[in-house]
């Protein structure tokens, strides 16, 4: 998968010049983040980290990832409506993982009361790496699917322009013209707008549920502004605002200080640290409401690592998507080996295998946002410690994907310019809207390429490891 720029990557003078152009182009294009020092204000901003050069991505795998996205949308939507499956799959996890258990309790509570919500909006991002086989061929392997707060669809809507300019500065005009346009922000906004419209109240607003610290606000603004441009009002609120100002009327319409809310778009609420007692109460209020939650609590649960692992069991996809053998085959073709660590013989066996071969696996807890997985020696130590305790059940094991590295420069504010061996992760955004039982929208909405230096086992742009990139199809 050698990129087309192995000739320039070692030309120090050309790289320095291109990097200076690249950084200013990112600022001009709006590839921005608030700074760590001033995360609450936009008075001082900097560019979001990105690669100097677009990274090579095999065209066939890129197309495969797009082609399976509508299937994944269907699958997530089906899981979110399958109480029996969620109950069975998460039964062991919720005994030991308090966060998943609390989400699950809210799920059961809203089901018992009866759902007031009739319109459903899913925005997800299915992430992949390109596994390099013994013979050198690469295969598309899903890392995970994010069903809540999948980010960077906004900022990445601008990275192709930046990389196009960099390639031109480096004399690669032909290659620059081949970079694909990409605008996930527009696709996400389209889904939100559709859900808003089906909710059916002109006066109602879209509420972005945001974090206390909003460093990545510009990423969200891209989606927000698309909505304003469609004359849909947007408000930004935190859980704590919902606790203080939120209420339901008799038909469980959601109001914030008297203003009706049609859609709640979560960009928060996916890790335990997002919740104190008040925030849990706010979450319950939102879930009980008639407002379209993106995602509703069932869809958030559908995105857990435990569900992902159970999907890989023979026969599970067929049960969840009856009568759709082609979709099942496309989905399954992207799966890496996934293993349950539930108590019993199956779990004992795979735990022993992983302890003996820690570099073949990744150990994953039920967490999101990067920086939680365990690899190598650490994986071995932790598994040895918990292998005979029920705590084991809160993790899953996954085959480690081994992509072919390529040279690139990771541009980060206040960091020296140096060449790194890098690997990339491709995400495809999916958007769907369901009204009652009818799926009225089901689309792939664009892509995100994130690249990191090989010395980091884990990823994540927000976690400070990966940076934004643009695929160059080869
Ligand atoms: P999170 O919910 O924290 O984003 P992920 O499953 O996406 O969890 O894992 C975080 C990062 O760890 C990924 O972005 C990727 O860089 C790395 N990673 C995860 N699973 C694997 C795997 N099976 N093989 C290699 N790297 C992996
Ligand atoms: Mg991830």
């Amino acid at each position: 998968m050698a990129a087309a720029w192995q000739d320039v990557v070692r030309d120090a003078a050309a790289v320095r010049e291109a990097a200076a152009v690249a950084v200013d182009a990112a600022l001009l294009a709006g590839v921005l983040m608030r700074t760590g020092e001033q995360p609450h204000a936009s008075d001082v901003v900097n560019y979001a980290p990105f690669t100097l050069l677009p990274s090579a991505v095999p065209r066939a795998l890129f197309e495969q990832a797009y082609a399976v996205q509508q299937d994944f949308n269907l699958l997530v939507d089906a899981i979110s409506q399958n109480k029996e499956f969620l109950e069975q799959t998460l039964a062991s996890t919720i005994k030991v993982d308090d966060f998943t258990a609390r989400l699950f309790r809210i799920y059961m509570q809203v089901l018992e009361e009866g759902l007031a919500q009739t319109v459903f909006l899913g925005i997800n991002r299915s992430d992949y790496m390109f596994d390099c086989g013994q013979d050198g061929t690469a295969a598309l392997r899903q890392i995970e699917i994010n069903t809540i707060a999948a980010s960077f669809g906004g900022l990445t809507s601008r990275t192709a322009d930046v990389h196009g300019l960099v390639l031109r500065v480096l004399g690669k005009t032909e290659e620059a013209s081949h970079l694909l346009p990409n605008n996930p922000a527009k696709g996400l906004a389209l889904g939100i707008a559709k859900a808003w419209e089906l909710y059916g109240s002109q006066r109602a607003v879209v509420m972005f549920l945001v974090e206390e610290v909003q460093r990545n606000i510009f990423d969200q603004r891209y989606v927000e502004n698309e909505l304003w441009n469609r004359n849909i009002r947007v408000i930004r609120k935190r859980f704590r605002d919902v606790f203080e100002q939120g209420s339901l009327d008799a038909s469980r319409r959601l109001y914030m200080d008297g203003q009706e809310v049609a859609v709640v778009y979560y960009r928060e609420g996916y890790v335990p640290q997002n919740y104190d007692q008040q925030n849990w109460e706010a979450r319950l209020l939102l879930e009980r409401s008639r407002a379209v939650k993106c995602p509703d609590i069932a869809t958030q649960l559908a995105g857990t690592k435990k569900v992902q692992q159970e999907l890989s069991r023979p026969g599970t996809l067929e049960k969840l998507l009856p009568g759709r053998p082609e979709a099942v085959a496309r989905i399954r073709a992207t799966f890496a080996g996934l293993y349950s660590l539930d108590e019993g013989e199956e779990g004992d066996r795979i735990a022993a295998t992983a302890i003996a071969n820690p570099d073949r696996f990744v150990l994953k807890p039920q967490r999101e946002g990067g920086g939680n997985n365990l690899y190598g020696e650490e994986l071995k130590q932790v598994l040895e410690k918990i292998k005979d305790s029920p705590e084991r059940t809160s993790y899953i094991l996954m085959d480690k994907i081994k992509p072919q590295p390529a040279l690139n420069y990771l541009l980060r504010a206040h960091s020296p310019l140096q060449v790194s061996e890098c690997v990339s992760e491709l995400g495809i955004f999916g958007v769907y809207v369901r009204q009652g039982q009818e799926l009225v929208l089901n689309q792939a909405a664009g892509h995100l390429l994130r690249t990191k230096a090989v010395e980091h086992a884990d990823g994540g742009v927000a976690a400070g490891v990966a940076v934004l990139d643009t695929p160059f199809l080869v």
Side-chain angles (χ1 to χ4, degrees):
M1 250 200 274
W5 9 98
Q6 293 307 317
D7 52 336
V8 290
V9 89
R10 295 288 190 189
D11 181 342
V15 163
R16 246 193 331 273
E17 187 195 340
V21 171
V23 165
D24 290 343
L27 289 161
L28 285 172
V31 185
L32 302 174
M33 259 189 184
R34 285 181 178 166
T35 64
E37 295 73 40
Q38 293 199 38
H40 295 287
S42 297
D43 303 72
V44 179
V45 299
N46 217 321
Y47 61 94
F50 66 104
T51 58
L52 176 65
L53 298 159
S55 292
V57 168
R59 181 183 299 273
L61 303 191
F62 183 83
E63 288 171 356
Q64 186 188 350
Y66 263 94
V68 73
Q69 187 56 44
Q70 286 172 307
D71 304 323
F72 272 117
N73 291 346
L74 275 181
L75 177 63
V76 172
D77 190 41
I79 297 168
S80 78
Q81 297 172 77
N82 194 326
K83 174 163 171 268
E84 194 191 353
F85 175 77
L86 282 174
E87 236 174 346
Q88 275 177 11
T89 301
L90 295 173
S92 56
T93 310
I94 61 177
K95 282 191 196 135
V96 286
D97 188 78
D98 186 51
F99 180 62
T100 312
R102 289 202 81 151
L103 293 173
F104 196 80
R105 272 212 300 278
I106 293 181
Y107 169 59
M108 292 307 271
Q109 202 171 332
V110 295
L111 278 186
E112 262 158 47
E113 187 180 18
L115 294 185
Q117 181 176 347
T118 57
V119 176
F120 296 83
L121 164 65
I123 292 180
N124 62 57
R125 200 189 66 223
S126 182
D127 291 337
Y128 308 88
M129 288 171 105
F130 313 114
D131 198 21
C132 186
Q134 306 245 307
D135 58 354
T137 58
L140 188 74
R141 289 287 169 260
Q142 188 182 48
I143 295 297
E144 64 159 345
I145 188 158
N146 303 280
T147 60
I148 179 167
S151 56
F152 294 108
L155 296 187
T156 204
S157 300
R158 301 299 185 277
T159 49
D161 282 352
V162 175
H163 283 123
L165 191 75
V166 169
L167 290 184
R168 287 188 187 93
V169 168
L170 289 168
K172 307 277 180 193
T173 49
E174 172 69 20
E175 290 87 343
S177 69
H178 292 155
L179 292 180
L180 299 171
N182 181 35
N183 198 339
K186 227 186 171 74
L188 269 45
L190 177 84
I192 296 172
K194 188 74 199 166
W196 175 86
E197 181 195 316
L198 292 174
Y199 179 87
S201 169
Q202 283 290 326
R203 292 178 315 275
V205 301
V206 171
M207 176 163 79
F208 281 41
L209 206 284
V210 297
E211 327 84 301
E212 288 286 334
V213 177
Q214 297 166 37
R215 269 197 77 186
N216 204 16
I217 188 169
F218 302 109
D219 184 52
Q220 300 163 8
R221 291 284 197 208
Y222 279 116
V223 183
E224 233 172 287
N225 295 353
E226 291 279 349
L227 292 167
W228 282 111
N229 286 338
R230 292 164 178 266
N231 299 317
I232 297 173
R233 298 187 65 79
V234 180
I235 57 172
R236 297 174 59 85
K237 299 286 179 185
R238 301 158 305 175
F239 272 129
R240 114 156 95 129
D241 303 317
V242 175
F243 181 82
E244 285 164 7
Q245 308 159 14
S247 63
L248 305 184
D249 73 5
S251 60
R252 282 191 268 158
R253 289 178 181 274
L254 173 66
Y255 289 86
M256 286 292 288
D257 260 352
Q259 195 165 40
E260 187 174 359
V261 177
V263 180
V264 180
Y265 173 45
Y266 289 101
R267 291 296 295 253
E268 149 93 336
Y270 52 91
V271 285
Q273 300 87 291
N274 295 157
Y275 293 92
D276 56 17
Q277 189 50 38
Q278 290 192 354
N279 291 3
W280 279 118
E281 283 177 39
R283 179 72 196 257
L284 177 61
L285 182 89
L286 297 176
E287 293 304 322
R288 291 184 55 227
S289 79
R290 176 181 293 266
V292 182
K293 273 78 65 182
C294 178
D296 67 342
I297 195 121
T299 305
Q300 180 172 359
L301 288 170
T304 52
K305 307 279 191 284
K306 182 64 190 174
V307 165
Q308 179 188 6
Q309 172 259 302
E310 282 299 313
L311 293 177
S312 75
R313 264 189 214 286
T316 305
L317 290 176
E318 285 81 354
K319 266 194 220 131
L320 290 165
L321 294 175
R324 294 182 182 269
E326 291 95 3
V328 166
R330 280 189 296 265
I331 290 171
R332 184 165 289 133
T334 69
F335 284 174
L338 288 146
Y339 313 94
S340 164
L341 285 168
D342 285 3
E343 289 177 279
E345 212 181 300
E346 182 193 340
D348 291 346
R349 222 175 315 119
I350 195 67
T353 309
I355 288 169
N357 310 276
D359 290 327
R360 270 179 44 201
F361 298 95
V362 181
L363 183 62
K364 298 190 175 188
Q366 309 302 313
R367 290 291 166 273
E368 303 293 329
N372 304 298
N373 301 335
L374 300 166
Y375 306 82
E377 194 51 36
E378 210 184 345
L379 174 155
K380 186 174 161 182
Q381 279 170 17
V382 169
L383 255 190
E384 262 168 353
K385 205 172 87 207
I386 61 171
K387 73 177 180 347
D388 298 318
S389 105
E391 195 192 335
R392 185 176 93 181
T393 313
S394 65
Y395 293 87
I396 63 154
L397 268 173
M398 182 174 183
D399 282 344
K400 189 167 171 183
I401 307 308
K402 298 183 172 154
Q404 179 73 48
L407 296 180
N408 209 329
Y409 293 80
L410 308 182
L411 303 180
R412 270 200 189 90
H414 315 298
S415 295
L417 185 64
Q418 63 187 40
V419 72
S420 306
E421 267 199 84
C422 299
V423 294
S424 301
E425 185 169 342
L426 175 69
I428 307 293
F429 287 95
V431 180
Y432 59 90
V433 177
R434 173 166 54 81
Q435 185 170 37
Q437 283 309 306
E438 192 198 349
L439 206 57
V440 292
L441 184 104
N442 179 9
Q443 294 184 352
H447 55 268
L448 167 72
L449 193 71
R450 295 172 298 165
T451 293
K452 64 176 183 181
V454 286
E455 55 266 27
H456 294 286
D458 221 76
V461 178
V465 174
V467 308
L468 303 173
D469 198 347
T470 299
F472 179 77
L473 301 190
V474 292

